[in-house]
Amino acid sequence: MSTSPVPDELATGRPILFRNATVLSMDPAIGVLDGGDVLVRGERIEQVGRELPAPDDATVIDASGGILLPGMVDTHRHMWQTALRGFGADWTLSQYFVFYYLNWGKIFRPEDVYAGNLASAIEAIDSGVTTTLDWSHGLQTPEHGDAAVEALRAVPGRFVLGYGNLLGAPWEWANSPEFRAFVDRHFSSRDDMLGLQLAFDVTGDAAFPEKGAFEAARDLGLPVTTHAGVWGATNDDGIRLMWEHGFMTPDVTYVHACSLGEDSYQRIAASGGTASISTESEQSAGQGYPPSWQLRRHGIPASLSMDTSVWWSADLFSAMRATLSADRSREHLEAQTANETVVHNKLRAEHVVEWATMGGARALGLSDVIGSLTPGKKADVVLIKNDRSPAMFPIVHPYGHVAFQAGRADVHTVLVDGRVVKYRNELVGVDLAKAREAVTATVEFARAEIGEENWRECMAPEIPETELIPNPYTYSDYRGEGVAVRRAEA
């Protein structure tokens, strides 16, 4: 059996008591508890406090020296692309578009979508991301959608499928009988373990062809997630058209939201929409500068996302760290350009931890279900604890520790819906070998279809020549040139 076994002490479905943790509840009524306990019974959090009495049949997990927080929520991850992890490390955004949209996105079969989703879903829960929105724009056919759902159902995490098709017109596929049959097949009854959204972009075409896709979302009662404010791709015209046609609602998430004007941010704020920040992506690919500073100025609720493993880290520790660094870097640069000095950081570690938990839950319409360690909510719980790591002590600033010190290797225990999916730093009840086998088959297939020469060229795009700036300070001898001559003359 290749599936990782469930430890005996967790196999009976007994209550679970986390004992003596630093608890980041993300619930203002509870706050931060030093030496705190959390009791889970069934699928829900029953109690949060100190020195809670342990039920006779409880499994007690010693959380001393650890940080307990709600499961993290990623609001934008192209999970199907995980099968080509790291392939586009040196791409710009335009090279990504050329690879997937123009040339090679069409070769990915349903089984390739399955492979990427399976690996990505497992990786998410391993890093403490208990809920992920799969921005699944590789669904060329309903059969591709079936494969995406099958993979998500196979992993004990909480997911939302953002159904999209990068090769099709959203106003067409969203209204097709085949898509409606797909919805009936998988989502005739809604639950909070697997949700559905429509995932498509608004081009800014004055004819507003996306109107039909928004109408389909409205008919089906589905939220929309859309890449907005992406330099060279989506812009203020798309936001304006959505506003003028009445499709800007609290159920819309604006991914990236970087390259937008003042009016667009005001409209997002006024409509109650949320933004998903993918800082590693925005810094590297070129969608625009990560917009945390704009979201703060306009009061737009934020969440975090990692975008795609074809480029970047697939965990929210990296997202939190990058977002803090990008926001502060911009503050310092602007101040120093004006010959001023920043003496107080506006974005704090607590803010990005909130965005990674409650911010994500809010964006997905699940804030009453997950996002905080609140009695009565679903038990999506993460314990960060690693007694073998010199970076896990002391814990003096718990929010700062999560954002700047911890990483996926420090994720000790993960519960999703009260079910233990990781324990003592190892996955539980997960068939990692199956995911590895599926991904290996996809890589072999893609490499053969693309061809060896194209494969190498796509992975290592040409490096533009750098023109050196003329240097008036010439040190002719610093490499040793001419030294021997002078010595001889002496």
Side-chain angles (χ1 to χ4, degrees):
M1 180 178 178
S2 58
T3 302
S4 47
V6 179
D8 291 341
E9 65 267 33
L10 302 175
T12 60
R14 297 180 296 181
I16 297 172
L17 177 63
F18 292 93
R19 178 75 83 190
N20 199 34
T22 298
V23 177
L24 302 183
S25 72
M26 310 314 296
D27 181 333
I30 299 172
V32 178
L33 300 180
D34 294 322
D37 303 340
V38 173
L39 176 63
V40 172
R41 191 185 298 272
E43 64 186 26
R44 298 194 179 272
I45 298 167
E46 186 168 287
Q47 289 181 273
V48 180
R50 293 187 178 91
E51 298 181 354
L52 298 179
D56 292 339
D57 58 342
T59 294
V60 179
I61 296 177
D62 179 12
S64 301
I67 300 171
L68 205 63
L69 70 157
M72 289 176 274
V73 181
D74 186 328
T75 54
H76 160 237
R77 183 181 299 208
H78 302 295
M79 298 175 72
W80 66 286
Q81 296 177 347
T82 301
L84 294 189
R85 180 192 308 283
F87 186 78
D90 294 315
W91 286 349
T92 62
L93 189 62
S94 60
Q95 288 164 333
Y96 168 88
F97 286 151
V98 168
F99 183 86
Y100 280 112
Y101 286 70
L102 297 183
N103 291 335
W104 304 114
K106 61 181 178 291
I107 72 170
F108 288 85
R109 307 161 298 175
E111 54 262 47
D112 303 318
V113 170
Y114 175 88
N117 270 29
L118 189 65
S120 184
I122 293 171
E123 184 175 23
I125 60 174
D126 182 59
S127 65
V129 176
T130 55
T131 302
T132 305
L133 183 134
D134 175 20
W135 220 102
S136 198
H137 59 345
L139 308 183
Q140 303 171 51
T141 68
E143 289 73 30
H144 286 76
D146 293 337
V149 169
E150 182 184 355
L152 299 181
R153 292 278 192 200
V155 177
R158 197 181 301 275
F159 301 101
V160 176
L161 178 67
Y163 193 105
N165 180 358
L166 81 173
L167 301 178
W171 53 94
E172 293 177 353
W173 59 254
N175 289 289
S176 69
E178 294 80 8
F179 175 69
R180 298 303 174 101
F182 168 85
V183 174
D184 290 340
R185 188 160 61 248
H186 295 290
F187 299 94
S188 56
S189 61
R190 305 290 170 86
D191 63 58
D192 55 42
M193 294 303 295
L194 181 61
L196 180 65
Q197 294 192 12
L198 292 193
F200 61 90
D201 296 339
V202 182
T203 62
D205 182 339
F208 193 47
E210 297 84 7
K211 180 174 183 287
F214 280 107
E215 289 173 338
R218 181 177 291 173
D219 290 345
L220 293 167
L222 297 177
V224 169
T225 176
T226 184
H227 294 107
V230 175
W231 181 262
T234 56
N235 55 38
D236 294 308
D237 286 334
I239 299 294
R240 176 182 55 79
L241 289 164
M242 289 174 61
W243 177 268
E244 290 173 353
H245 288 83
F247 293 116
M248 294 187 75
T249 71
D251 290 331
V252 179
T253 298
Y254 304 86
V255 178
H256 300 305
C258 298
S259 307
L260 294 173
E262 182 71 13
D263 231 32
S264 291
Y265 289 115
Q266 297 286 25
R267 284 170 168 159
I268 293 171
S271 66
T274 63
S276 177
I277 308 170
S278 297
T279 303
E280 281 191 304
S281 175
E282 292 140 14
Q283 285 182 313
S284 180
Q287 293 92 338
Y289 202 87
S292 53
W293 58 287
Q294 289 281 28
L295 306 182
R296 286 202 316 273
R297 290 178 63 234
H298 293 90
I300 298 171
S303 62
L304 298 182
S305 57
M306 59 69 55
D307 204 342
T308 170
S309 291
V310 81
W311 258 303
W312 299 292
S313 313
D315 66 81
L316 290 192
F317 296 106
S318 298
M320 287 186 277
R321 189 169 300 145
T323 301
L324 279 171
S325 297
D327 190 283
R328 294 173 178 181
S329 176
R330 184 186 175 282
E331 292 278 350
H332 288 298
L333 179 61
E334 285 206 339
Q336 291 163 13
T337 300
N339 201 29
E340 298 173 353
T341 299
V342 173
V343 295
H344 293 288
N345 287 320
K346 294 178 180 177
L347 189 66
R348 304 299 175 97
E350 180 178 354
H351 297 150
V352 294
V353 176
E354 201 274 345
W355 291 352
T357 52
M358 272 301 293
R362 192 179 300 116
L364 299 184
L366 295 172
S367 58
D368 292 336
V369 180
I370 58 169
S372 66
L373 300 179
T374 301
K377 281 192 175 184
K378 292 296 189 75
D380 290 7
V381 183
V382 172
L383 173 61
I384 299 172
K385 173 183 165 78
N386 188 347
D387 294 337
R388 294 167 292 182
S389 171
M392 281 304 296
F393 65 87
I395 297 173
V396 294
H397 186 324
Y399 290 113
H401 209 104
V402 171
F404 279 127
Q405 306 298 323
R408 70 165 65 241
D410 303 315
V411 176
H412 179 283
T413 301
V414 179
L415 272 62
V416 182
D417 213 44
R419 175 181 176 180
V420 178
V421 300
K422 188 174 185 180
Y423 184 55
R424 294 179 178 170
N425 307 93
E426 293 188 6
L427 288 164
V428 172
V430 169
D431 194 343
L432 192 58
K434 183 177 181 181
R436 183 179 291 112
E437 180 181 346
V439 165
T440 299
T442 287
V443 172
E444 291 175 351
F445 168 78
R447 191 164 189 162
E449 286 289 303
I450 293 170
E452 197 61 31
E453 184 177 352
N454 285 330
W455 178 271
R456 290 195 302 270
E457 288 180 358
C458 289
M459 187 165 55
E462 181 183 355
I463 302 175
E465 185 177 348
T466 299
E467 183 177 347
L468 293 177
I469 299 171
N471 188 342
Y473 304 103
T474 54
Y475 296 93
S476 59
D477 295 336
Y478 85 102
R479 290 192 180 94
E481 299 171 2
V483 174
V485 174
R486 288 201 304 275
R487 284 178 179 169
E489 291 173 349

